[in-house]
Amino acid sequence: MQVKVVIGTLAFMLSMIIMGFATLREPARMERFTLAYEGRLIEQGAEVYKNNCASCHGVYGKAEACFDEATGEQIACAGIPLHTPELLCDGDSVPLRLRQRDWAGTKYGYVASVVAAGRTASGMPTWGEAFGGPLRDNQVENVTLFVLNWESEELCAGPPPELYAWPDDVEDHLAAFPGDVAQGEAVYLNPTYACTACHGQMDNPASAAIGPHLAQIGIIGAERVAGQTAEQYIYESILYPNAYIVPDCPSGPCASPSSMPGNFGERMTPEEMSDLVVYLASLGR
Amino acid sequence: MAENAETNSTAGITRREFLYYVWGASMAVFTAQFAGLFIWFALPRFREGEFGGTFTVPIDRLPGVNDPPVDVPDGRFWLVNVDSANPQGQERMYRVADDPDRIAGIAALYKVCTHLGCIYKWVPTANRFECPCHGSKFRLDGRRIESPAGRSIDRFELVALDADEAVIARADEGRNREWLEMTLPSNAVALRINTGNRRDGTTQRLLCEFFDNCP
Amino acid sequence: MATFFEQVREMGLKQATVVKADEIVERVTVGMNINDIRAMLRGDEPRRPNPRLRPHADGFWFHIRPSFYHTEVTKIYPTFRLGWLSTFMFVWETITGIFLMIFYTPRPGTAFADMWNIMSNVPLGQLVRDMHRLGAEVMVLVVALHMLRTFVTGSYKKPRQFTWLTGMVLLCLTLVLSFSGYLLPWDQLAYWAVTVAVSAAEAAPPAEIVGYNLNLLVRGAPSFGAGGLLRWYLLHVLVLPLLLAIFFFVHYYKVVLYGISLPPGREEIGEDTAKRVPRDERTYFMPDIITSELMWAALATLALIAGSLWFYAAPLENHADPLVTPLHVVAPWYLSWSQGWLKLASKEFIAFVFIPILAVAFFLMPYIEVGKSRRYADRRVGLSVSMLFIAFMLVSNWMGSPEYLVQSTPEIEVAQKLIPQEGHSHLLQTPYEALVPGRYVPLAHNQEVPGNKELTHALHYFYDAMRLYSCRTAENGSGPWETCRERVRDDGSIQYRNSHTSDALPNPQAWLLIEQFQYNMVKLTLCFDVTDPRDPNVKLVDNDCSAFKYRHANANYEEY
């Protein structure tokens, strides 16, 4: 009987020692598991991205290397770059793209809300279940964490990105960035900017459904606004669509405010703008 | 009963009996350890950004000196930036006779009224906090203008962080262990407010007594 | 009884305090004062009338415990203390379960996050969870062993038939309790294992009326979601424990009423002398049994704590995805036998004919098997049948595992071993630093990647996996695989077999690509390429790189 008492005492004491041991290593373990949880969510997010986002935003999030899901062929990227300092680097406390969009919250909130609710104007689908999309809330969270994980010291090492300040005079801009007409045609046809969606194909006037057909814009553009060359007119039309509303559009009077997206200035590179301006200015001449 | 109690005190403890007592003691210690570990287990922990935990706020969210307070709803606090010596904003922040010479700095005011727990509001037209429940009113820095609140607004612990997230300044404690306003260092990049560390406000005279307009 | 103050005046403060304390002890213990307790602890003979019997006669906590046992049943044999251990496990599960309930909400949007919160943000949370899950598996095993012991010692016979029946109910409740808890983490394992097991409900005949509605009752919706999770949570934390407690008390009352049966050899055939215990063969509850029980409680606690901490890790896969069923979905081991049977016969037959007949047979067995003798020599048929049944269950359990009759194509099986959709593998457990970007082929055990022991180990495992599913053709064969055995199928295609599988890859090329995808995450891709041995222009598997997994630096697969 005494043996049982001794065994019982030893068992309780050993249990206490083991619990003490577990307690001591617990804070470090919790830290590792906290990191592990986020890491695994990012892994899951990478899969969501690959299956849903890569065909528009690019395999590596740079709006390059987009492949058609069904055929595997390479296609033009319809989405904007995500793996960029504009979105991810905090420079002086708010990433550039958040400032452009007037977003007052966090990066996480910005990415999660755009993923979940979509942006119908620019073609970004609605993904979140709460808004009728196919992804569950945890999948939206996972892919958001994945995108944010593209932020690294290397990515943000350079100077913080600044919005290109478009000069008022197109000649100043063309002096810095000479344009190429052939490249400009490619910009016009680029599905990312979707010019053809409203202004149609150049060789088919009937295909312009919403905006004016542009096959003669090199001549007409010089006559729209007094004192503006065709280049200046085209340049301002792209950057500030509401500066001048054309009276006639294919489906009736042109809408005011303009139906043309107002954010090309944020989305286009200086080179693309120059190419497009010289290309359009060459039409009709 | 009494006879049994008497014979009890004369007999010594046998080894077998003693072993039982040791076992009993080990069970008591085990139970004590269990209870302590259970409390550790059951006490909730809060991550950054959860009320009860810390909130990191970049300094560009701070209000200007003596400007109306900035709301941080998740953290349930107002951020205030006061300077009683600054002529601008005197309608919101002013000095009375028993205030220190200068009240200046940043503070994080808990949004819960110190009377009975309602959420007071900032009333721009009156340039003060007012509680809808029983009419307590507070100055921009949280000191009571009118009762029935019993003390000035409670505050959370506040530290300033530099670009490497190192702590470069903290709010000091006053005589009654209350949090005082913190001067913001020039190289501060963000503030960290710890909503798990709240200190009571002080009990000073009502400000309305200085203006003779207490209700 | 004089008041305290009167006693103080009479005999002084110290003496009065001792007397008062003594009174309190006697009231709390329902009949034993300090002297009685000390005498008990010392091993002295009790005074008359025996105070150690009073807690059993008059007290609440001990009224259902017998005041003495027959000494023959207090040793390890014949009970192995399994009934006691079953009760201990129920108490263990209840306590650890309540602790987990502090941090868990049964809602699909939050349940999975709550699990990770418990494991990463609650101190000792992983330990409590592991203790609960390990305890559940131990409890199922202990209850089953208790049933086996009761059968073997013939303790189900008259007058204990009803005790057996309630015990069978308790076994079923234990299984359903364990199973209902399985769903709660709301990960892929939970969701699909329970979906598969419950799918039989839909088939309840007539399917359109009974089956359809039964499915809705059980799942709260046509498939598992918020309704189902809440229902199973309610079952798991309230309804089933309540039922278990009720049946436990009936069961235990009967156990005490008839007494624990003696070892078969100790009694005459057909006799039941469990309640007629001669004075010299009594072991009293106080202090001997209670000492024993406390000691076993301490040992069981120690074993469960140490086991949960060092030898067990409750798994947590990825978030439940109702649209994607991962490969190799398995039932928990104690239900694997049902999955095995379902591979052989239709679910209607198994769920509504076979299992009910088996259950009825088990429940009513003591009313059918009415032989008088409990001796092993007289029960050879019964004991043999039970051994055969156990063997049958073990084989059924194995049949329930993915190795039996569930096979995809060989490249998918190899991929599943290396980068499974859910769960662990040698490759995943390789430390992140060893996953150096590059292209790697399976390595034989005498080869290595210089300076990278961990990756070498994973590539050896790749090699072993390939060996199971690859072969080398007799003509123009290549690769370190065993020779193919070829068989022409009816349609003219060739089936390549090796000693492990009947569907092997002939002369395969396989490689592992490691690519740095983000600064702290790599992408692991497995590629396969198999040329048709009969025609070099035809590919049986054409550069198939569809098996991949992302591996984050912090994911900690090494530890969990």
Side-chain angles (χ1 to χ4, degrees):
Chain A
M1 188 51 57
Q2 290 182 56
V3 175
K4 293 192 185 176
V5 177
V6 171
I7 293 176
T9 311
L10 285 175
F12 277 124
M13 285 169 56
L14 266 176
S15 295
M16 279 194 276
I17 292 171
I18 292 177
M19 290 305 297
F21 170 73
T23 305
L24 286 174
R25 58 162 225 185
E26 191 64 6
R29 187 200 64 81
M30 284 199 281
E31 185 62 39
R32 288 196 301 275
F33 273 61
T34 305
L35 293 171
Y37 179 44
E38 203 182 278
R40 293 187 195 196
L41 291 185
I42 292 173
E43 290 174 2
Q44 293 296 103
E47 280 192 45
V48 173
Y49 182 86
K50 178 179 190 294
N51 293 331
N52 298 289
C53 321
S55 53
C56 288
H57 288 282
V59 174
Y60 301 101
K62 297 191 175 175
E64 316 162 340
C66 292
F67 297 89
D68 183 85
E69 278 171 54
T71 63
E73 285 170 12
Q74 184 150 12
I75 53 175
C77 288
I80 56 175
L82 307 170
H83 184 181
T84 71
E86 279 89 15
L87 177 64
L88 298 172
C89 296
D90 294 48
D92 46 351
S93 97
V94 181
L96 180 63
R97 193 170 294 165
L98 271 60
R99 273 184 278 146
Q100 288 171 344
R101 303 270 191 250
D102 261 327
W103 181 263
T106 57
K107 272 187 293 193
Y108 178 92
Y110 175 74
V111 175
S113 62
V114 175
V115 170
R119 269 217 185 95
T120 41
S122 61
M124 167 75 171
T126 303
W127 292 103
E129 202 173 51
F131 300 101
L135 296 184
R136 292 185 308 273
D137 290 347
N138 76 295
Q139 290 173 305
V140 171
E141 179 189 2
N142 294 347
V143 77
T144 303
L145 291 173
F146 167 75
V147 168
L148 293 178
N149 196 49
W150 260 316
E151 180 185 353
S152 64
E153 278 180 20
E154 206 186 313
L155 184 74
C156 301
E162 279 301 331
L163 198 52
Y164 175 73
W166 300 99
D168 290 334
D169 193 333
V170 67
E171 293 305 324
D172 292 334
H173 178 75
L174 289 172
F177 296 93
D180 175 276
V181 170
Q183 302 265 48
E185 185 178 11
V187 174
Y188 183 80
L189 294 171
N190 188 341
T192 304
Y193 301 121
C195 311
T196 56
C198 293
H199 293 283
Q201 304 287 338
M202 254 354 134
D203 53 1
N204 180 3
S207 64
I210 299 170
H213 196 242
L214 299 175
Q216 303 291 318
I217 195 65
I219 306 174
I220 301 176
E223 294 155 15
R224 290 263 202 236
V225 177
Q228 277 191 347
T229 61
E231 284 82 354
Q232 183 70 24
Y233 173 73
I234 292 166
Y235 179 70
E236 281 194 19
S237 299
I238 297 173
L239 284 177
Y240 316 111
N242 285 311
Y244 176 80
I245 307 288
V246 174
D248 295 311
C249 280
S251 49
C254 294
S256 175
S258 176
S259 306
M260 179 147 159
N263 62 355
F264 284 118
E266 295 161 10
R267 299 168 59 195
M268 291 174 74
T269 67
E271 294 87 353
E272 282 172 333
M273 176 67 81
S274 301
D275 294 336
L276 188 59
V277 165
V278 303
Y279 162 68
L280 289 173
S282 73
L283 295 176
R285 288 194 195 163
Chain B
M1 309 303 158
E3 317 93 62
N4 281 339
E6 276 170 54
T7 47
N8 172 28
S9 50
T10 51
I13 301 181
T14 64
R15 181 174 69 178
R16 178 179 157 139
E17 197 185 344
F18 176 71
L19 285 177
Y20 270 108
Y21 293 149
V22 170
W23 195 15
S26 79
M27 284 191 261
V29 179
F30 181 79
T31 309
Q33 185 198 43
F34 183 82
L37 289 180
F38 175 71
I39 291 175
W40 188 41
F41 173 83
L43 269 177
R45 289 153 62 98
F46 307 99
R47 299 209 198 256
E48 161 88 23
E50 280 182 333
F51 182 67
T54 58
F55 285 81
T56 305
V57 175
I59 52 164
D60 61 355
R61 275 186 80 180
L62 281 175
V65 177
N66 289 345
D67 273 354
V70 161
D71 188 4
V72 183
D74 289 349
R76 309 201 196 149
F77 56 87
W78 296 101
L79 279 174
V80 297
N81 185 355
V82 298
D83 187 352
S84 60
N86 190 322
Q88 201 233 344
Q90 280 291 310
E91 64 277 18
R92 290 187 276 269
M93 185 63 199
Y94 42 86
R95 197 187 158 272
V96 297
D98 73 351
D99 271 330
D101 289 342
R102 186 174 177 210
I103 304 173
I106 319 261
L109 307 178
Y110 188 30
K111 292 180 112 187
V112 171
C113 180
T114 51
H115 180 222
L116 290 177
C118 296
I119 307 291
Y120 58 83
K121 295 192 240 199
W122 174 257
V123 183
T125 47
N127 284 311
R128 62 191 179 185
F129 294 110
E130 295 184 4
C131 185
C133 289
H134 306 99
S136 300
K137 297 176 180 55
F138 308 89
R139 193 174 60 182
L140 183 63
D141 70 329
R143 178 167 173 181
R144 289 177 306 161
I145 300 173
E146 284 173 31
S147 59
R151 58 182 193 274
S152 57
I153 298 294
D154 303 334
R155 293 179 178 185
F156 292 117
E157 181 189 19
L158 188 61
V159 300
L161 305 174
D162 67 6
D164 299 318
E165 299 212 2
V167 173
I168 48 177
R170 355 177 72 94
D172 288 328
E173 292 178 38
R175 267 199 331 236
N176 298 314
R177 290 191 74 237
E178 77 276 19
W179 292 119
L180 298 175
E181 299 77 14
M182 179 187 80
T183 316
L184 194 67
S186 52
N187 59 336
V189 158
L191 298 177
R192 181 173 295 149
I193 294 99
N194 183 1
T195 60
N197 189 352
R198 188 174 82 232
R199 299 272 180 89
D200 280 356
T202 51
T203 48
Q204 297 161 292
R205 287 173 60 196
L206 301 175
L207 289 173
C208 63
E209 293 175 27
F210 291 88
F211 300 105
D212 229 359
N213 56 2
C214 294
Chain C
M1 200 41 83
T3 68
F4 184 60
F5 293 106
E6 286 163 3
Q7 285 178 320
V8 170
R9 256 185 286 129
E10 202 182 288
M11 55 180 90
L13 181 64
K14 176 167 181 252
Q15 190 66 353
T17 316
V18 169
V19 168
K20 199 62 182 176
D22 203 42
E23 277 174 32
I24 293 175
V25 167
E26 186 159 354
R27 302 259 287 270
V28 167
T29 59
V30 196
M32 296 175 68
N33 62 33
I34 294 179
N35 251 1
D36 295 329
I37 296 176
R38 289 195 64 194
M40 183 179 75
L41 296 181
R42 290 148 86 108
D44 297 343
E45 284 299 305
R47 64 177 167 90
R48 297 276 170 246
N50 189 346
R52 302 173 198 178
L53 303 180
R54 291 215 28 226
H56 296 277
D58 297 340
F60 170 75
W61 294 108
F62 282 176
H63 82 277
I64 202 175
R65 309 300 313 267
S67 44
F68 59 83
Y69 286 65
H70 196 298
T71 306
E72 281 290 314
V73 301
T74 61
K75 309 186 177 67
I76 303 266
Y77 176 81
T79 65
F80 298 94
R81 308 201 144 276
L82 289 167
W84 178 88
L85 191 57
S86 303
T87 314
F88 178 88
M89 292 317 299
F90 180 54
V91 173
W92 178 268
E93 285 302 282
T94 305
I95 293 175
T96 54
I98 290 175
F99 286 178
L100 290 173
M101 283 171 77
I102 296 177
F103 292 105
Y104 174 85
T105 305
R107 211 193 163 106
T110 55
F112 184 74
D114 283 345
M115 296 306 296
W116 269 104
N117 184 52
I118 287 171
M119 298 214 296
S120 67
N121 197 34
V122 173
L124 303 174
Q126 188 195 20
L127 180 64
V128 174
R129 182 197 174 211
D130 286 352
M131 291 201 295
H132 191 71
R133 194 141 170 161
L134 177 66
E137 300 194 22
V138 168
M139 183 170 171
V140 168
L141 186 63
V142 164
V143 168
L145 287 175
H146 178 59
M147 174 176 87
L148 176 63
R149 190 286 293 170
T150 308
F151 178 80
V152 167
T153 59
S155 306
Y156 58 85
K157 292 176 183 287
K158 191 162 180 250
R160 297 182 177 83
Q161 303 103 316
F162 188 66
T163 316
W164 169 273
L165 197 144
T166 52
M168 281 305 303
V169 172
L170 288 171
L171 172 68
C172 293
L173 285 172
T174 305
L175 285 174
V176 185
L177 260 174
S178 188
F179 185 65
S180 55
Y182 214 72
L183 177 64
L184 303 186
W186 206 250
D187 64 348
Q188 283 286 63
L189 177 65
Y191 188 89
W192 290 105
V194 177
T195 293
V196 164
V198 159
S199 66
E202 266 179 307
E208 299 83 38
I209 304 172
V210 174
Y212 177 74
N213 287 300
L214 186 61
N215 184 50
L216 284 180
L217 275 175
V218 165
R219 291 195 219 200
S223 63
F224 269 111
L229 181 56
L230 186 56
R231 284 168 196 234
W232 285 82
Y233 182 72
L234 182 61
L235 278 176
H236 185 72
V237 309
L238 187 60
V239 176
L240 293 172
L242 201 57
L243 286 174
L244 194 107
I246 291 171
F247 276 95
F248 165 74
F249 281 117
V250 175
H251 182 82
Y252 189 61
Y253 177 82
K254 289 293 193 190
V255 168
V256 173
L257 183 68
Y258 297 122
I260 297 181
S261 55
L262 296 178
R266 273 271 322 205
E267 288 182 320
E268 298 301 321
I269 294 179
E271 242 194 335
D272 175 40
T273 59
K275 289 299 277 188
R276 297 197 301 272
V277 187
R279 280 189 189 276
D280 57 349
E281 291 192 276
R282 291 183 185 186
T283 303
Y284 282 85
F285 195 85
M286 313 255 260
D288 298 322
I289 302 296
I290 204 174
T291 302
S292 226
E293 290 198 352
L294 269 176
M295 178 197 75
W296 284 110
L299 286 173
T301 303
L302 175 64
L304 284 166
I305 294 178
S308 308
L309 194 59
W310 288 317
F311 299 103
Y312 187 78
L316 192 62
E317 297 183 354
N318 289 308
H319 194 289
D321 188 341
L323 303 178
V324 174
T325 309
L327 280 174
H328 295 189
V329 169
V330 277
W333 61 266
Y334 49 85
L335 290 183
S336 193
W337 44 267
S338 63
Q339 256 201 322
W341 293 347
L342 286 168
K343 289 181 192 170
L344 297 181
S346 76
K347 68 180 177 186
E348 291 83 358
F349 176 75
I350 298 293
F352 301 107
V353 177
F354 190 61
I355 291 184
I357 288 179
L358 217 58
V360 167
F362 265 88
F363 273 67
L364 299 182
M365 187 271 296
Y367 301 97
I368 303 169
E369 200 289 281
V370 292
K372 292 232 182 300
S373 173
R374 290 171 52 223
R375 304 215 176 139
Y376 307 125
D378 300 333
R379 297 173 57 228
R380 282 180 229 213
V381 173
L383 291 173
S384 311
V385 166
S386 68
M387 294 303 134
L388 281 173
F389 182 76
I390 292 172
F392 170 64
M393 291 300 277
L394 288 173
V395 169
S396 305
N397 245 31
W398 171 77
M399 290 196 318
S401 71
E403 274 74 40
Y404 179 74
L405 278 191
V406 177
Q407 268 212 67
S408 318
T409 58
E411 58 272 24
I412 290 181
E413 289 295 328
V414 173
Q416 188 62 6
K417 279 188 182 308
L418 284 173
I419 42 180
Q421 290 172 308
E422 301 288 345
H424 279 258
S425 75
H426 282 77
L427 181 58
L428 280 183
Q429 284 172 319
T430 306
Y432 177 79
E433 294 70 32
L435 295 171
V436 177
R439 184 187 192 278
Y440 302 91
V441 292
L443 289 183
H445 289 260
N446 55 0
Q447 298 169 292
E448 62 166 21
V449 176
N452 195 339
K453 240 182 17 187
E454 292 96 347
L455 187 58
T456 302
H457 182 75
L459 294 173
H460 289 163
Y461 196 75
F462 187 12
Y463 177 83
D464 292 338
M466 286 299 293
R467 274 195 67 86
L468 293 174
Y469 292 96
S470 311
C471 67
R472 173 200 173 100
T473 50
E475 291 175 28
N476 305 321
S478 64
W481 324 117
E482 58 177 272
T483 314
C484 298
R485 297 198 295 272
E486 300 180 27
R487 188 182 80 90
V488 183
R489 295 197 192 95
D490 298 335
D491 62 356
S493 65
I494 303 218
Q495 183 189 25
Y496 298 94
R497 313 164 61 112
N498 67 12
S499 52
H500 174 82
T501 178
S502 58
D503 184 12
L505 299 168
N507 311 321
Q509 302 285 319
W511 60 99
L512 168 70
L513 283 170
I514 303 181
E515 178 196 347
Q516 192 75 42
F517 202 79
Q518 288 182 328
Y519 78 99
N520 59 1
M521 184 159 76
V522 294
K523 183 179 179 192
L524 309 169
T525 311
L526 272 183
C527 297
F528 300 90
D529 188 77
V530 179
T531 312
D532 188 337
R534 293 176 298 171
D535 184 350
N537 297 319
V538 172
K539 296 260 194 189
L540 296 176
V541 176
D542 189 1
N543 281 297
D544 182 352
C545 295
S546 53
F548 66 90
K549 185 155 175 43
Y550 294 92
R551 209 291 201 196
H552 191 279
N554 296 336
N556 203 12
Y557 292 114
E558 305 92 305
E559 181 183 356
Y560 180 66

